[in-house]
């Protein structure tokens, strides 16, 4: 009886019913076909379109100050002495901490644990309005970064400005628990004005 309910041959008919195994097979096929789309990050236009209200025109004056910020981002975390991994989505937030000046973001690069760049989020620089924020997102299914993933952000401004505030927020589920934690960016290079 149970066999018949889950797609075994119906008694006396010699035919297979379109049951749960067939539905599961079709579902798996659809999910596997869509997985590459789910794992991909939004392209460079995604940031400009999604955060259009946060952006302004690039400054006409020369960019005299700038720097680079390194943000650790854990898309995967080793558990049980490395025997298991938990995967996390990552949201990188870049905040313009200036009240009056635009902040130019020249590069948002995502690297894996071996230092290889796996994603570039900008084709061209963008300028954030004062106190504005933009984000880059790495879905849970995108595990290219691994346990040592990181972002490097290059920024600049046309004059003295507060350094950008950068954070990566990791969110995920493991063993029936929900976890979230934040990693803050650290300056790795600064170019002072002349």
């Amino acid at each position: 009886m149970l066999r018949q309910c889950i797609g075994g041959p119906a008694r006396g008919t010699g035919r297979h019913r379109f049951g749960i195994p067939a539905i599961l097979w079709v579902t798996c096929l659809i999910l596997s076909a869509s997985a590459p789309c789910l794992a991909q990050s939004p392209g460079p236009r995604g940031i400009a379109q999604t955060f259009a209200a946060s952006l302004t025109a690039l400054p006409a004056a020369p960019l005299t100050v700038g720097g680079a910020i390194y943000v650790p981002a854990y898309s995967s975390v080793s558990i049980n002495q490395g025997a298991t991994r938990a995967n996390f989505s990552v949201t990188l937030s870049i905040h313009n901490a200036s009240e009056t000046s635009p902040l130019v973001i020249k590069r948002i690069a995502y690297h894996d644990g071996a230092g290889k760049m796996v994603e570039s989020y900008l084709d061209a620089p963008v300028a954030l309005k004062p106190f504005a924020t933009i984000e880059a997102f790495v879905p849970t299914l995108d595990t290219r970064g691994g346990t040592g993933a990181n972002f490097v952000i290059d920024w600049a401004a046309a004059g003295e400005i507060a350094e950008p505030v950068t954070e990566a927020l990791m969110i995920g589920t493991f063993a029936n628990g929900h976890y979230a934690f934040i990693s803050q960016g650290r300056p790795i290079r600064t170019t002072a004005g002349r």
Side-chain angles (χ1 to χ4, degrees), residues 8-96:
R11 287 187 189 185
T13 64
R15 295 183 181 174
H16 290 278
R17 291 187 181 182
F18 187 75
I20 294 173
I23 293 170
L24 289 175
W25 181 81
V26 170
T27 303
C28 290
L29 183 63
I30 292 169
L31 289 175
S32 66
S34 64
C37 297
L38 294 172
Q40 297 201 6
S41 317
R45 285 187 236 188
I47 287 178
Q49 290 173 351
T50 304
F51 298 100
S54 297
L55 302 178
T56 188
L58 292 169
L63 302 175
T64 57
V65 298
I69 298 174
Y70 178 94
V71 187
Y74 304 93
S75 64
S76 294
V77 176
S78 294
I79 299 174
N80 298 333
Q81 299 171 344
T84 310
R85 281 191 180 182
N87 297 324
F88 295 88
S89 66
V90 181
T91 302
L92 171 73
S93 294
I94 304 169
H95 306 269
N96 182 357

Side-chain angles (χ1 to χ4, degrees), residues 8-193:
R11 287 187 189 185
T13 64
R15 295 183 181 174
H16 290 278
R17 291 187 181 182
F18 187 75
I20 294 173
I23 293 170
L24 289 175
W25 181 81
V26 170
T27 303
C28 290
L29 183 63
I30 292 169
L31 289 175
S32 66
S34 64
C37 297
L38 294 172
Q40 297 201 6
S41 317
R45 285 187 236 188
I47 287 178
Q49 290 173 351
T50 304
F51 298 100
S54 297
L55 302 178
T56 188
L58 292 169
L63 302 175
T64 57
V65 298
I69 298 174
Y70 178 94
V71 187
Y74 304 93
S75 64
S76 294
V77 176
S78 294
I79 299 174
N80 298 333
Q81 299 171 344
T84 310
R85 281 191 180 182
N87 297 324
F88 295 88
S89 66
V90 181
T91 302
L92 171 73
S93 294
I94 304 169
H95 306 269
N96 182 357
S98 172
E99 188 173 5
T100 57
S101 301
L103 171 73
V104 176
I105 302 300
K106 299 166 81 175
R107 175 174 72 133
I108 304 171
Y110 181 56
H111 299 88
D112 66 13
K116 177 185 172 190
M117 188 175 78
V118 294
E119 185 83 29
S120 176
Y121 285 84
L122 292 177
D123 275 341
V126 295
L128 276 72
K129 295 176 182 175
F131 287 159
T133 301
I134 61 172
E135 296 176 349
F137 181 71
V138 180
T140 306
L141 295 177
D142 185 347
T143 58
R144 295 175 296 166
T147 57
N150 62 79
F151 289 95
V152 175
I153 299 126
D154 289 340
W155 63 273
E160 187 176 331
I161 191 171
E163 278 194 2
V165 176
T166 57
E167 294 178 323
L169 169 64
M170 279 63 65
I171 299 176
T173 303
F174 182 76
N176 297 325
H178 301 285
Y179 301 91
F181 56 100
I182 291 176
S183 175
Q184 296 184 334
R186 300 164 194 173
I188 55 173
R189 183 176 65 248
T190 303
T191 305

